[in-house]
Structures are given as structure tokens and as C-alpha cells.
Amino acid sequence: YGFMHLTLSRYVIRVRAISHGGQLRADRKVHQRHPAIASPKYLNYLTAAQRELEKSEQEGCGTKKFTFYLYRAQGPHSYEDVNINAANLAGVLWYLHHEVVMVCPRKFGITRIRRLLVTMRNTCALHKDTKTQFGPYSAFDSGACGVEGCSDVYKKYGSVVGCQHIPYNTGIFAAYCEQPNCGYPQWYSLPGPCTKNAYLLKSEKCKQEDPG
């Protein structure tokens, strides 16, 4: 046991570990790092390689087919992988650190991370209007879209896969990433039928009107 001596300044925090006998055991400086900024306009935060992927396909209407892994933090229960959110590996780890393991019992009873292999191609209507390969991100809660007007987006463009960078740069939601040494955490929305209602409220009529 011993003591931690902190010296705080505007740009540096100095941490010194001192034993109970007065001996200096460690002396470290922690420098300021700038937080990543969340934005639904994910094009603003792409790496050079990701920007290359965003370019329009030469054939057809410009959309591209992608196959990639996503990760989903989930409890012991299983259900269909539609009307859900999933993330890249950096995104799901950020979520676990900032929203799950910090509370007890764990949020949503999360006990595992599932890996999903996703193959997708978004619609020509989306690419024609936005010139992007991914649509706007929608947060789903128990199978229902919680973003105002998201069902209208899906009616206009079809069930497009959305993408958004995280985290927010305030409070405990500040996380850090220094390009080009890492990629930003990303979250994706995977819509399905009847996006406006939760799983237990998805009627056949709603599924017919919004088939996904």
C-alpha cells in the first residue's frame, strides 16, 4: 500500500506512486487526447480505405455488395436478427465498457457477444438521392425503431442498412481514437418488417404494410 500523488495542469496529469516508506515507485505523465466526435454523417470520418469502398460501382446504379462481420452484445435469449443494431468490434467493446459492465446487474442481462456475417447491398433509390452506400442509422429497441420518422425513410428507400460513428464526446461517453492508428467505432441498423412496433406487437397487417 502507499499513496498516489496527482499534479493536474491544463494539458498534462502527472501521477506519482509513493510507497508507505516514502519511496517513489513510479512517475508517469498522461497527456491530453482529443475525443472522437459522433455524427450520423459517417462520410466525415472515413479512413482513406473506407472512402475508396464508398465510391460508386461502375456497373448498375452505383450500389455495392458488401460482406463483413458485425458483433452484437446479447443476453441468453435468442431471436431473429431483424430490427436490431449491431456494431464493428470497436463499437461493441465501447458499448460494453460504457453502458454494460458499469452497472450491476448488467444492462439487458448481457452475457455474450455474437458474431454475425452480414451480406448486404442497399437500394438504388438510396444511392440516387444520397450517393452513399449506407443509409441513415436507426436505433432499435425490442424490435421497434426509436428514431422519429424512420419508418418513412424505409418506405422511401426500402429496408436500407444504416451506419453511424460513435461515441458522443461528452461525459462518460468520451472515447478516443487517433487516426490512422485505429478505426472509429461504428454502429449499424438492420431493419426488418414492421419497424414501428416492438416484437410482441408486430401484427400481420403491419408486416404486410411494412414487409421489410
Side-chain angles (χ1 to χ4, degrees), residues 94-124:
W94 177 91
Y95 174 68
L96 291 175
H97 289 171
H98 290 268
E99 295 192 32
V100 178
V101 298
M102 61 179 294
V103 294
C104 187
R106 290 181 181 177
K107 185 176 183 179
F108 300 138
I110 288 173
T111 57
R112 56 181 174 150
I113 298 176
R114 297 177 55 232
R115 186 173 73 165
L116 311 177
L117 180 61
V118 176
T119 298
M120 56 144 291
R121 184 196 293 267
N122 274 333
T123 63
C124 292

Side-chain angles (χ1 to χ4, degrees), residues 126-142:
L126 173 74
H127 191 270
K128 180 180 179 181
D129 281 3
T130 65
K131 297 298 184 291
T132 63
Q133 299 293 340
F134 289 88
Y137 174 82
S138 298
F140 283 93
D141 184 8
S142 298

Side-chain angles (χ1 to χ4, degrees), residues 42-55 64:
Y42 70 94
L43 290 175
N44 295 343
Y45 301 96
L46 297 183
T47 64
Q50 290 171 331
R51 288 187 182 279
E52 193 67 26
L53 291 175
E54 273 293 329
K55 291 183 178 180
K64 288 182 177 180

Side-chain angles (χ1 to χ4, degrees), residues 83 143 151 155 192-198 201-212:
N83 292 329
S151 292
K155 288 180 181 178
C194 188
T195 52
K196 67 180 181 180
N197 291 340
L201 300 176
K202 294 185 186 295
S203 65
E204 289 303 318
K205 179 181 178 182
C206 181
K207 293 178 182 179
Q208 291 174 3
E209 295 174 348
D210 180 13

Side-chain angles (χ1 to χ4, degrees), residues 21-211:
Q23 293 183 335
L24 182 65
R25 298 297 190 186
D27 190 345
R28 300 288 185 271
K29 292 182 180 180
V30 181
H31 296 274
Q32 184 183 31
R33 298 176 68 189
H34 298 284
I37 301 174
S39 173
K41 298 180 180 179
Y42 70 94
L43 290 175
N44 295 343
Y45 301 96
L46 297 183
T47 64
Q50 290 171 331
R51 288 187 182 279
E52 193 67 26
L53 291 175
E54 273 293 329
K55 291 183 178 180
S56 299
E57 189 67 79
Q58 296 301 313
E59 298 179 359
C61 64
T63 61
K64 288 182 177 180
K65 179 180 178 180
F66 294 102
T67 297
F68 53 96
Y69 284 111
L70 290 181
Y71 300 84
R72 178 167 170 78
Q74 197 168 308
H77 303 292
S78 298
Y79 39 84
E80 193 176 2
D81 293 320
V82 293
N83 292 329
I84 63 169
N85 298 114
N88 64 1
L89 189 56
V92 76
L93 291 177
W94 177 91
Y95 174 68
L96 291 175
H97 289 171
H98 290 268
E99 295 192 32
V100 178
V101 298
M102 61 179 294
V103 294
C104 187
R106 290 181 181 177
K107 185 176 183 179
F108 300 138
I110 288 173
T111 57
R112 56 181 174 150
I113 298 176
R114 297 177 55 232
R115 186 173 73 165
L116 311 177
L117 180 61
V118 176
T119 298
M120 56 144 291
R121 184 196 293 267
N122 274 333
T123 63
C124 292
L126 173 74
H127 191 270
K128 180 180 179 181
D129 281 3
T130 65
K131 297 298 184 291
T132 63
Q133 299 293 340
F134 289 88
Y137 174 82
S138 298
F140 283 93
D141 184 8
S142 298
C145 180
V147 178
E148 184 178 356
C150 67
S151 292
D152 295 333
V153 171
Y154 297 136
K155 288 180 181 178
K156 181 177 181 180
Y157 296 126
S159 295
V160 293
V161 176
C163 177
Q164 177 176 269
H165 288 281
I166 59 170
Y168 300 101
N169 63 336
T170 57
I172 64 170
F173 296 102
Y176 301 88
C177 175
E178 295 179 345
Q179 295 287 356
N181 300 315
C182 68
Y184 288 110
Q186 296 167 332
W187 274 87
Y188 296 81
S189 48
L190 308 175
C194 188
T195 52
K196 67 180 181 180
N197 291 340
Y199 288 123
L200 297 179
L201 300 176
K202 294 185 186 295
S203 65
E204 289 303 318
K205 179 181 178 182
C206 181
K207 293 178 182 179
Q208 291 174 3
E209 295 174 348
D210 180 13

